[in-house]
Amino acid sequence: MARTWRELFVLPEEAERSIPEDGASEPDPERPGGFFRRLRENLRKSREALGAELEASVLQRLDDEAFERLEETLIYADVGAQTTASIVERLESEAGAGELAGGDDLTRRLRELLADAARVGDDRIDLRPNPTVILCIGVNGTGKTTTIGKLAWHLSQELGRSVLLAAGDTFRAAAVEQLGTWAERAGADFVRAAQGSDPGAVAYDAVEAARAREHDVVVVDTAGRLHTQSHLMEELSKVRRVIEKQLPGAPHETLLTIDATTGQNGLRQAMLFREAVEVSGIVLTKLDGTAKGGIALAIAQELGVPVKLIGIGEAIEDLRPFDPDDFARALLES
Amino acid sequence: MFDALSERLQAALGDVRSRGKLTEDDVSKAMRQIRLALLEADVNFQVVKRFTAQVRERALGQEVMESLNPAQQVVKIVSDELTDLMGGAGRDLVFGSKSPTVILMAGLQGSGKTTACAKLARHLREENGKDVALAACDVYRPAAVDQLVKVGAQAGAAVYEQGTGRDPVDIAEWALGRARSEERDVLIVDTSGRLHVDEALMAELAKIKKRTKPHNVLLVVDSMTGQDAVNVAESFSATAAFDGVVLTKVDGDARGGAALSVKAVTGKPIIYASTGEKLDAFERFHPDRMAQRILGMGDVMTLVEKAEAQIDEDRAAELERKLRNQQFTLEDFLEQMQQVRKMGPLSGLLKMIPGLNSAQLSGMNVDDRELDRLGAIITSMTPEERRNPGVLNGSRRRRIARGSGTSVQAVNQLVKQFSQMQKVMRQVSQGRMPSLSQLVGGR
């Protein structure tokens, strides 16, 4: 499972060689400002609000109350009633069979179960196809454009890949300008069209331009859309088909952004987006608030789609590879 | 959006309904279902506990046991409690005695603030005849100012912006001064999205509030929000003491439990619901109607209001006269269809009809584009063809099919249905009842 950028991306051989061993870009997770620390700091803020000091006190005893509190914690994390029930049942039966010795054991085992539940499919991103086309999709306001900006910055500044961004959100006012700003920051090439023009055409032009200008990676932005709007989902399928026609095998990666504050509807989002285009991974954004993004666990369980990236802040380095163990720990740290 | 919740409650209470008398067991069973349904709808855990306890207490009480129809009584209790939970009678915006009335908009990133600002501006202009200005104080997100300038223009509002170089607190104050000197009725202040745990940005919001002294502070909440809605609402309430909520993305299929939670925890009502991509997809939130919709009682009031807003009475009378005199042409048919279309998506309209519950609807694929296709066929006809479909021979039909991007079969079907419709109308106007199969246009 990918925990670092190097583990997340599968790079072409010549690119692999040109990157310094154990890249200087890999911050020590525990150093001040490291992402893990930042995440924990943010989570600490939420403790008072939630008032469920799970690990410290309640789980010391293996009684009904402990399991009830456990259920509550997972529900609060938006894991959902069904996934919560299946995990708690499993723990209860293990405890009943005498496999768990006490509170510490229970916590450890719970973490394992949660991390396992999050660990599905291939969570790496293959950058070997040339050019690699990454399609970014999602509901309005989940953070697509920001994610693309950060991803482009990382690919180009840290991995030395030449990146082209395609402004496929031709619907929302000023979306093109927003992506343009990110392209500039990331030092990426940029393909745009007038507002209201066909997003398929933008994607087509972008892939063509990437081949002509020999870019390594094309990241295609799309307009945010509610998964319930069938005509917009059809439009998305069309964008995908256009890309595939232009470059067989593409898009190589289709990333669905899910806002961590989203509740149970996140599962519906993933289901319907997956029906329209093949979703290969989830980007779980806005994890720097008090929301835990537990719905990603339900998505992994029900649909087998792995989380590949997480967004933990607004700064350019606040996009990180997803780590199931950290995620499991954070879910319980309330 | 509350579809699935209403399904669950109907399933839970359907059982009670069929029995007539309530045992304590019945109540417990129903409450378990309601609890689960509410949790799946993202209603906050604590709120769910409180809600089910309240309903349970009232359901087990005398009033139910001794009433003639206990099941109906439970439905009513759940409906009452839900309405209560979602905002009681509802609150309006407050307009100041001196202009401009200031409305401050706040919320998390991506909740839909900028769009809501423009929609609210349009709403106040169209419904209340207000002269509205927007202040662009989101200096952080790239191109946020551009976005407000664009949607503000579409909404017919003035947009006050100073780029992204200045402190948003100063921009807000400057905009207020300008709104005063230009004598605007309303100033809506758009702010950048901020996390409720971001102390610096929350302090900034408090400062904007202090400087602009808004008559209304509105929190913009995404209807898809999960359990965290409560944390968000509590923090924003502590910092900005908001007066009401704009619930966004209501046109999705989220069950919208966040709406219930926010009200229950902060006591602040949901004032507006944002229901679609277009600027006019914005309406007053009606808690009582929404509770009825949850329980499958339909939302007739909204339907009637929508129809009233869209349908011109004179034109309707004219159409009725034509129908009676059998002068109803394809052109009139097209016009009627366009009016129905203006009322919003068909699936949305159907949901408001009492007796049609979500389970029945889910099997039905209501396709608005079907209407658009029919419209395309009719507009591909010449005026003469529209008035007199009898002239439509094979070659004309082929031309129409090509022109409208449909098939000859589709054209044939439309012509056939139209002639059947005319037949039915003839019978009605002659005082005979048409047969059922004629009414449903048997093919």
Side-chain angles (χ1 to χ4, degrees), chain A residues 3-56:
Chain A
R3 289 149 180 269
T4 66
W5 285 106
R6 292 293 306 283
E7 285 166 345
L8 176 69
F9 292 119
V10 184
L11 289 164
E13 261 179 57
E14 71 283 0
E16 193 76 57
R17 273 197 299 274
S18 66
I19 295 169
E21 197 58 34
D22 200 32
S25 62
E26 213 51 76
D28 175 357
E30 292 292 341
R31 87 177 151 88
F35 92 96
F36 190 33
R37 211 184 102 117
R38 288 181 65 137
L39 191 54
R40 261 211 311 252
E41 248 162 39
N42 285 331
L43 288 169
R44 200 167 302 136
K45 294 177 195 160
S46 67
R47 271 196 198 148
E48 283 169 56
L50 288 177
E53 274 287 351
L54 182 76
E55 294 190 46

Short mmCIF file of all heavy atoms in Angstrom, two decimals, chain A residues 3-56:
data_model
loop_
_atom_site.label_atom_id
_atom_site.label_comp_id
_atom_site.label_asym_id
_atom_site.label_seq_id
_atom_site.Cartn_x
_atom_site.Cartn_y
_atom_site.Cartn_z
N ARG A 3 2.26 4.68 0.88
CA ARG A 3 2.28 5.63 1.98
C ARG A 3 3.03 6.88 1.58
O ARG A 3 2.89 7.93 2.17
CB ARG A 3 3.03 5.03 3.18
CG ARG A 3 2.31 3.93 3.86
CD ARG A 3 3.32 2.96 4.43
NE ARG A 3 2.61 1.88 5.08
CZ ARG A 3 2.28 1.90 6.36
NH1 ARG A 3 2.60 2.92 7.10
NH2 ARG A 3 1.62 0.90 6.89
N THR A 4 3.91 6.74 0.60
CA THR A 4 4.69 7.88 0.16
C THR A 4 4.42 8.11 -1.32
O THR A 4 3.86 7.26 -2.00
CB THR A 4 6.19 7.61 0.33
OG1 THR A 4 6.54 6.55 -0.58
CG2 THR A 4 6.52 7.19 1.75
N TRP A 5 4.85 9.28 -1.77
CA TRP A 5 4.65 9.62 -3.18
C TRP A 5 5.33 8.60 -4.08
O TRP A 5 4.82 8.22 -5.12
CB TRP A 5 5.20 11.01 -3.47
CG TRP A 5 4.33 12.09 -2.93
CD1 TRP A 5 4.56 12.86 -1.84
CD2 TRP A 5 3.08 12.53 -3.47
NE1 TRP A 5 3.54 13.75 -1.66
CE2 TRP A 5 2.62 13.59 -2.65
CE3 TRP A 5 2.32 12.15 -4.57
CZ2 TRP A 5 1.43 14.25 -2.89
CZ3 TRP A 5 1.13 12.82 -4.81
CH2 TRP A 5 0.69 13.85 -3.98
N ARG A 6 6.52 8.16 -3.64
CA ARG A 6 7.28 7.22 -4.47
C ARG A 6 6.53 5.91 -4.62
O ARG A 6 6.61 5.25 -5.65
CB ARG A 6 8.67 6.97 -3.86
CG ARG A 6 9.59 8.19 -3.92
CD ARG A 6 9.95 8.55 -5.35
NE ARG A 6 10.51 7.41 -6.07
CZ ARG A 6 11.75 6.99 -5.91
NH1 ARG A 6 12.56 7.56 -5.05
NH2 ARG A 6 12.18 5.97 -6.62
N GLU A 7 5.82 5.54 -3.54
CA GLU A 7 5.06 4.30 -3.61
C GLU A 7 3.77 4.47 -4.39
O GLU A 7 3.23 3.53 -4.95
CB GLU A 7 4.75 3.80 -2.19
CG GLU A 7 5.95 3.18 -1.51
CD GLU A 7 5.74 3.01 -0.02
OE1 GLU A 7 4.79 3.61 0.54
OE2 GLU A 7 6.52 2.29 0.59
N LEU A 8 3.25 5.69 -4.39
CA LEU A 8 1.98 5.95 -5.05
C LEU A 8 2.11 5.86 -6.57
O LEU A 8 1.28 5.27 -7.25
CB LEU A 8 1.45 7.33 -4.65
CG LEU A 8 0.17 7.77 -5.36
CD1 LEU A 8 -1.01 6.93 -4.91
CD2 LEU A 8 -0.12 9.25 -5.08
N PHE A 9 3.16 6.46 -7.10
CA PHE A 9 3.28 6.53 -8.55
C PHE A 9 4.18 5.43 -9.10
O PHE A 9 5.23 5.14 -8.58
CB PHE A 9 3.88 7.88 -8.97
CG PHE A 9 2.95 9.02 -8.71
CD1 PHE A 9 3.32 10.04 -7.85
CD2 PHE A 9 1.70 9.09 -9.32
CE1 PHE A 9 2.46 11.11 -7.61
CE2 PHE A 9 0.84 10.15 -9.09
CZ PHE A 9 1.22 11.16 -8.23
N VAL A 10 3.69 4.81 -10.17
CA VAL A 10 4.54 3.90 -10.91
C VAL A 10 5.10 4.70 -12.08
O VAL A 10 4.36 5.10 -12.98
CB VAL A 10 3.72 2.70 -11.44
CG1 VAL A 10 4.64 1.71 -12.13
CG2 VAL A 10 2.96 2.04 -10.31
N LEU A 11 6.41 4.94 -12.04
CA LEU A 11 7.01 5.83 -13.04
C LEU A 11 7.69 5.04 -14.15
O LEU A 11 8.11 3.90 -13.95
CB LEU A 11 8.07 6.72 -12.36
CG LEU A 11 7.52 7.79 -11.44
CD1 LEU A 11 8.63 8.32 -10.54
CD2 LEU A 11 6.90 8.91 -12.25
N PRO A 12 7.82 5.64 -15.32
CA PRO A 12 8.61 5.02 -16.37
C PRO A 12 10.06 4.90 -15.90
O PRO A 12 10.50 5.72 -15.09
CB PRO A 12 8.51 5.98 -17.55
CG PRO A 12 7.50 7.00 -17.18
CD PRO A 12 7.27 6.93 -15.71
N GLU A 13 10.79 3.91 -16.41
CA GLU A 13 12.12 3.63 -15.88
C GLU A 13 13.07 4.81 -15.91
O GLU A 13 13.74 5.12 -14.93
CB GLU A 13 12.75 2.47 -16.64
CG GLU A 13 12.62 1.16 -15.90
CD GLU A 13 13.23 0.04 -16.70
OE1 GLU A 13 14.42 0.15 -17.03
OE2 GLU A 13 12.50 -0.92 -17.02
N GLU A 14 13.10 5.51 -17.08
CA GLU A 14 14.08 6.60 -17.18
C GLU A 14 13.76 7.71 -16.18
O GLU A 14 14.65 8.34 -15.63
CB GLU A 14 14.19 7.13 -18.62
CG GLU A 14 13.01 7.92 -19.15
CD GLU A 14 11.81 7.05 -19.55
OE1 GLU A 14 11.88 5.81 -19.42
OE2 GLU A 14 10.79 7.62 -19.98
N ALA A 15 12.46 7.90 -15.89
CA ALA A 15 12.09 8.93 -14.92
C ALA A 15 12.48 8.49 -13.51
O ALA A 15 12.93 9.28 -12.69
CB ALA A 15 10.60 9.20 -14.99
N GLU A 16 12.29 7.21 -13.27
CA GLU A 16 12.62 6.64 -11.97
C GLU A 16 14.08 6.91 -11.63
O GLU A 16 14.44 7.26 -10.52
CB GLU A 16 12.37 5.12 -12.04
CG GLU A 16 12.36 4.41 -10.72
CD GLU A 16 11.08 4.64 -9.94
OE1 GLU A 16 9.98 4.34 -10.46
OE2 GLU A 16 11.21 5.13 -8.82
N ARG A 17 14.95 6.76 -12.66
CA ARG A 17 16.39 6.92 -12.43
C ARG A 17 16.76 8.37 -12.13
O ARG A 17 17.68 8.64 -11.39
CB ARG A 17 17.17 6.44 -13.65
CG ARG A 17 17.47 4.95 -13.60
CD ARG A 17 18.57 4.60 -14.59
NE ARG A 17 18.21 4.91 -15.96
CZ ARG A 17 17.53 4.07 -16.76
NH1 ARG A 17 17.14 2.91 -16.30
NH2 ARG A 17 17.24 4.40 -17.99
N SER A 18 16.00 9.29 -12.74
CA SER A 18 16.40 10.69 -12.61
C SER A 18 15.98 11.31 -11.27
O SER A 18 16.35 12.42 -10.97
CB SER A 18 15.80 11.51 -13.76
OG SER A 18 14.39 11.54 -13.64
N ILE A 19 15.21 10.55 -10.49
CA ILE A 19 14.79 11.10 -9.20
C ILE A 19 15.74 10.61 -8.10
O ILE A 19 16.06 9.43 -8.05
CB ILE A 19 13.36 10.65 -8.87
CG1 ILE A 19 12.42 11.26 -9.90
CG2 ILE A 19 12.97 11.09 -7.46
CD1 ILE A 19 11.04 10.69 -9.83
N PRO A 20 16.19 11.52 -7.28
CA PRO A 20 17.12 11.12 -6.22
C PRO A 20 16.52 10.03 -5.35
O PRO A 20 15.32 10.05 -5.05
CB PRO A 20 17.33 12.41 -5.42
CG PRO A 20 16.23 13.34 -5.83
CD PRO A 20 15.85 12.94 -7.23
N GLU A 21 17.36 9.11 -4.97
CA GLU A 21 16.91 8.02 -4.08
C GLU A 21 16.29 8.62 -2.82
O GLU A 21 16.81 9.58 -2.26
CB GLU A 21 18.13 7.15 -3.72
CG GLU A 21 17.78 5.79 -3.16
CD GLU A 21 16.91 4.96 -4.11
OE1 GLU A 21 17.08 5.09 -5.33
OE2 GLU A 21 16.08 4.21 -3.60
N ASP A 22 15.21 8.05 -2.40
CA ASP A 22 14.49 8.56 -1.24
C ASP A 22 14.36 10.08 -1.32
O ASP A 22 14.89 10.83 -0.53
CB ASP A 22 15.20 8.17 0.07
CG ASP A 22 14.20 8.26 1.23
OD1 ASP A 22 13.02 8.00 0.99
OD2 ASP A 22 14.62 8.61 2.33
N GLY A 23 13.65 10.50 -2.35
CA GLY A 23 13.53 11.90 -2.75
C GLY A 23 13.51 12.89 -1.61
O GLY A 23 12.87 12.68 -0.59
N ALA A 24 14.23 13.97 -1.79
CA ALA A 24 14.30 15.00 -0.78
C ALA A 24 12.91 15.56 -0.49
O ALA A 24 12.69 16.21 0.51
CB ALA A 24 15.22 16.12 -1.25
N SER A 25 12.00 15.28 -1.41
CA SER A 25 10.67 15.85 -1.27
C SER A 25 9.84 15.12 -0.23
O SER A 25 8.78 15.56 0.14
CB SER A 25 9.94 15.73 -2.60
OG SER A 25 9.81 14.36 -2.93
N GLU A 26 10.37 13.98 0.25
CA GLU A 26 9.56 13.17 1.16
C GLU A 26 9.75 13.66 2.58
O GLU A 26 10.72 13.33 3.24
CB GLU A 26 10.03 11.72 1.03
CG GLU A 26 8.94 10.70 1.22
CD GLU A 26 7.72 10.99 0.35
OE1 GLU A 26 7.76 10.74 -0.86
OE2 GLU A 26 6.73 11.46 0.91
N PRO A 27 8.80 14.46 3.07
CA PRO A 27 9.02 14.99 4.41
C PRO A 27 8.86 13.89 5.45
O PRO A 27 8.07 12.98 5.28
CB PRO A 27 7.93 16.05 4.56
CG PRO A 27 6.91 15.75 3.53
CD PRO A 27 7.52 14.84 2.51
N ASP A 28 9.63 14.00 6.50
CA ASP A 28 9.49 13.07 7.61
C ASP A 28 8.11 13.30 8.21
O ASP A 28 7.78 14.40 8.62
CB ASP A 28 10.60 13.38 8.63
CG ASP A 28 10.46 12.53 9.89
OD1 ASP A 28 9.47 11.78 9.97
OD2 ASP A 28 11.32 12.66 10.77
N PRO A 29 7.33 12.23 8.27
CA PRO A 29 5.96 12.42 8.71
C PRO A 29 5.86 13.02 10.12
O PRO A 29 4.88 13.66 10.45
CB PRO A 29 5.37 11.02 8.70
CG PRO A 29 6.38 10.11 8.12
CD PRO A 29 7.64 10.87 7.87
N GLU A 30 6.86 12.83 10.93
CA GLU A 30 6.76 13.29 12.31
C GLU A 30 7.43 14.63 12.54
O GLU A 30 7.33 15.22 13.60
CB GLU A 30 7.37 12.25 13.27
CG GLU A 30 6.58 10.96 13.36
CD GLU A 30 5.21 11.14 14.04
OE1 GLU A 30 5.03 12.15 14.75
OE2 GLU A 30 4.36 10.28 13.84
N ARG A 31 8.12 15.12 11.52
CA ARG A 31 8.81 16.39 11.76
C ARG A 31 7.76 17.50 11.83
O ARG A 31 6.66 17.35 11.31
CB ARG A 31 9.83 16.65 10.65
CG ARG A 31 9.24 17.35 9.45
CD ARG A 31 10.27 17.66 8.40
NE ARG A 31 9.65 17.69 7.09
CZ ARG A 31 9.10 18.78 6.57
NH1 ARG A 31 9.10 19.91 7.20
NH2 ARG A 31 8.54 18.73 5.38
N PRO A 32 8.13 18.64 12.48
CA PRO A 32 7.16 19.73 12.59
C PRO A 32 6.64 20.08 11.20
O PRO A 32 7.43 20.24 10.27
CB PRO A 32 7.97 20.87 13.18
CG PRO A 32 9.12 20.21 13.87
CD PRO A 32 9.40 18.95 13.11
N GLY A 33 5.36 20.20 11.07
CA GLY A 33 4.81 20.55 9.78
C GLY A 33 4.58 19.35 8.89
O GLY A 33 4.00 19.46 7.84
N GLY A 34 5.06 18.16 9.33
CA GLY A 34 4.80 16.95 8.57
C GLY A 34 3.31 16.71 8.52
O GLY A 34 2.57 17.19 9.37
N PHE A 35 2.88 15.97 7.53
CA PHE A 35 1.43 15.88 7.32
C PHE A 35 0.73 15.13 8.45
O PHE A 35 -0.36 15.47 8.87
CB PHE A 35 1.14 15.22 5.97
CG PHE A 35 0.96 13.73 6.04
CD1 PHE A 35 -0.33 13.21 6.13
CD2 PHE A 35 2.05 12.87 6.05
CE1 PHE A 35 -0.51 11.85 6.20
CE2 PHE A 35 1.86 11.53 6.13
CZ PHE A 35 0.59 11.01 6.20
N PHE A 36 1.41 14.13 8.99
CA PHE A 36 0.80 13.32 10.01
C PHE A 36 0.56 14.17 11.26
O PHE A 36 -0.49 14.14 11.89
CB PHE A 36 1.72 12.14 10.33
CG PHE A 36 1.08 11.11 11.20
CD1 PHE A 36 -0.29 10.85 11.10
CD2 PHE A 36 1.85 10.37 12.08
CE1 PHE A 36 -0.87 9.90 11.90
CE2 PHE A 36 1.26 9.42 12.88
CZ PHE A 36 -0.10 9.18 12.79
N ARG A 37 1.58 14.98 11.55
CA ARG A 37 1.49 15.87 12.69
C ARG A 37 0.38 16.89 12.48
O ARG A 37 -0.42 17.17 13.35
CB ARG A 37 2.82 16.58 12.87
CG ARG A 37 3.14 16.91 14.31
CD ARG A 37 4.41 17.69 14.34
NE ARG A 37 4.05 19.09 14.52
CZ ARG A 37 4.41 19.79 15.60
NH1 ARG A 37 5.13 19.24 16.53
NH2 ARG A 37 4.05 21.03 15.72
N ARG A 38 0.35 17.42 11.26
CA ARG A 38 -0.68 18.42 10.96
C ARG A 38 -2.06 17.82 11.10
O ARG A 38 -2.97 18.42 11.64
CB ARG A 38 -0.52 18.90 9.51
CG ARG A 38 0.66 19.77 9.29
CD ARG A 38 0.69 20.20 7.86
NE ARG A 38 -0.47 21.05 7.57
CZ ARG A 38 -0.38 22.15 6.86
NH1 ARG A 38 0.76 22.52 6.38
NH2 ARG A 38 -1.45 22.87 6.61
N LEU A 39 -2.17 16.60 10.61
CA LEU A 39 -3.46 15.93 10.66
C LEU A 39 -3.88 15.73 12.11
O LEU A 39 -5.00 16.00 12.50
CB LEU A 39 -3.34 14.58 9.94
CG LEU A 39 -4.64 13.84 9.65
CD1 LEU A 39 -5.61 14.73 8.90
CD2 LEU A 39 -4.35 12.59 8.85
N ARG A 40 -2.90 15.29 12.92
CA ARG A 40 -3.21 15.03 14.31
C ARG A 40 -3.56 16.31 15.06
O ARG A 40 -4.45 16.35 15.88
CB ARG A 40 -2.03 14.35 14.99
CG ARG A 40 -2.22 12.85 15.07
CD ARG A 40 -1.55 12.30 16.29
NE ARG A 40 -0.20 12.77 16.41
CZ ARG A 40 0.89 12.04 16.20
NH1 ARG A 40 0.76 10.77 15.88
NH2 ARG A 40 2.08 12.52 16.35
N GLU A 41 -2.81 17.36 14.73
CA GLU A 41 -3.09 18.64 15.36
C GLU A 41 -4.52 19.07 15.09
O GLU A 41 -5.24 19.51 15.97
CB GLU A 41 -2.15 19.71 14.82
CG GLU A 41 -1.16 20.20 15.84
CD GLU A 41 0.00 20.90 15.16
OE1 GLU A 41 -0.26 21.63 14.18
OE2 GLU A 41 1.13 20.72 15.60
N ASN A 42 -4.89 18.91 13.82
CA ASN A 42 -6.25 19.30 13.45
C ASN A 42 -7.27 18.43 14.15
O ASN A 42 -8.34 18.88 14.54
CB ASN A 42 -6.43 19.21 11.94
CG ASN A 42 -5.75 20.36 11.24
OD1 ASN A 42 -5.62 21.43 11.80
ND2 ASN A 42 -5.29 20.11 10.03
N LEU A 43 -6.94 17.18 14.28
CA LEU A 43 -7.89 16.27 14.91
C LEU A 43 -8.06 16.58 16.39
O LEU A 43 -9.12 16.44 16.95
CB LEU A 43 -7.43 14.82 14.72
CG LEU A 43 -7.58 14.33 13.29
CD1 LEU A 43 -6.87 13.01 13.12
CD2 LEU A 43 -9.04 14.20 12.92
N ARG A 44 -6.97 17.02 16.99
CA ARG A 44 -7.02 17.34 18.41
C ARG A 44 -8.08 18.40 18.68
O ARG A 44 -8.78 18.38 19.66
CB ARG A 44 -5.64 17.82 18.87
CG ARG A 44 -5.47 17.72 20.37
CD ARG A 44 -4.02 17.91 20.75
NE ARG A 44 -3.14 16.95 20.12
CZ ARG A 44 -1.97 17.25 19.55
NH1 ARG A 44 -1.57 18.50 19.51
NH2 ARG A 44 -1.22 16.33 19.02
N LYS A 45 -8.16 19.34 17.74
CA LYS A 45 -9.11 20.43 17.90
C LYS A 45 -10.54 19.90 18.01
O LYS A 45 -11.39 20.52 18.59
CB LYS A 45 -9.04 21.37 16.70
CG LYS A 45 -7.74 22.11 16.59
CD LYS A 45 -7.74 22.95 15.33
CE LYS A 45 -6.34 23.43 14.99
NZ LYS A 45 -6.23 23.82 13.60
N SER A 46 -10.76 18.78 17.40
CA SER A 46 -12.13 18.30 17.36
C SER A 46 -12.51 17.52 18.60
O SER A 46 -13.66 17.24 18.85
CB SER A 46 -12.33 17.42 16.14
OG SER A 46 -11.57 16.24 16.29
N ARG A 47 -11.52 17.18 19.39
CA ARG A 47 -11.79 16.31 20.53
C ARG A 47 -12.84 16.88 21.47
O ARG A 47 -13.78 16.22 21.85
CB ARG A 47 -10.51 16.08 21.31
CG ARG A 47 -9.81 14.89 20.76
CD ARG A 47 -8.78 14.39 21.71
NE ARG A 47 -7.89 13.56 20.95
CZ ARG A 47 -6.61 13.43 21.21
NH1 ARG A 47 -6.08 14.10 22.20
NH2 ARG A 47 -5.87 12.64 20.48
N GLU A 48 -12.63 18.14 21.82
CA GLU A 48 -13.57 18.75 22.76
C GLU A 48 -14.96 18.73 22.21
O GLU A 48 -15.92 18.42 22.91
CB GLU A 48 -13.15 20.19 23.03
CG GLU A 48 -11.99 20.30 23.98
CD GLU A 48 -11.46 21.71 23.99
OE1 GLU A 48 -12.25 22.62 24.28
OE2 GLU A 48 -10.27 21.90 23.70
N ALA A 49 -15.06 19.05 20.94
CA ALA A 49 -16.38 19.13 20.31
C ALA A 49 -17.11 17.79 20.41
O ALA A 49 -18.30 17.73 20.66
CB ALA A 49 -16.24 19.55 18.86
N LEU A 50 -16.40 16.74 20.19
CA LEU A 50 -17.06 15.45 20.16
C LEU A 50 -17.18 14.80 21.53
O LEU A 50 -18.15 14.13 21.83
CB LEU A 50 -16.32 14.51 19.22
CG LEU A 50 -16.48 14.86 17.75
CD1 LEU A 50 -15.67 13.93 16.90
CD2 LEU A 50 -17.94 14.79 17.35
N GLY A 51 -16.18 15.03 22.35
CA GLY A 51 -16.26 14.56 23.72
C GLY A 51 -16.33 13.06 23.88
O GLY A 51 -16.89 12.56 24.83
N ALA A 52 -15.80 12.32 22.94
CA ALA A 52 -15.80 10.87 23.10
C ALA A 52 -14.37 10.39 23.16
O ALA A 52 -13.77 10.06 22.16
CB ALA A 52 -16.54 10.22 21.96
N GLU A 53 -13.81 10.39 24.33
CA GLU A 53 -12.43 9.94 24.49
C GLU A 53 -12.41 8.42 24.46
O GLU A 53 -12.34 7.74 25.47
CB GLU A 53 -11.85 10.47 25.80
CG GLU A 53 -11.25 11.86 25.67
CD GLU A 53 -9.92 11.84 24.92
OE1 GLU A 53 -9.40 10.74 24.65
OE2 GLU A 53 -9.42 12.93 24.60
N LEU A 54 -12.47 7.92 23.27
CA LEU A 54 -12.70 6.51 23.09
C LEU A 54 -11.59 5.64 23.65
O LEU A 54 -11.81 4.79 24.51
CB LEU A 54 -12.87 6.24 21.60
CG LEU A 54 -13.16 4.80 21.24
CD1 LEU A 54 -14.59 4.48 21.57
CD2 LEU A 54 -12.88 4.57 19.78
N GLU A 55 -10.39 5.90 23.16
CA GLU A 55 -9.31 4.99 23.50
C GLU A 55 -8.95 5.03 24.97
O GLU A 55 -8.67 4.00 25.58
CB GLU A 55 -8.07 5.32 22.68
CG GLU A 55 -8.30 5.07 21.22
CD GLU A 55 -7.02 5.16 20.45
OE1 GLU A 55 -6.02 4.58 20.90
OE2 GLU A 55 -7.01 5.79 19.40
N ALA A 56 -8.94 6.21 25.51
CA ALA A 56 -8.44 6.39 26.86
C ALA A 56 -9.24 5.62 27.91
O ALA A 56 -8.68 4.87 28.70
CB ALA A 56 -8.42 7.87 27.20
#
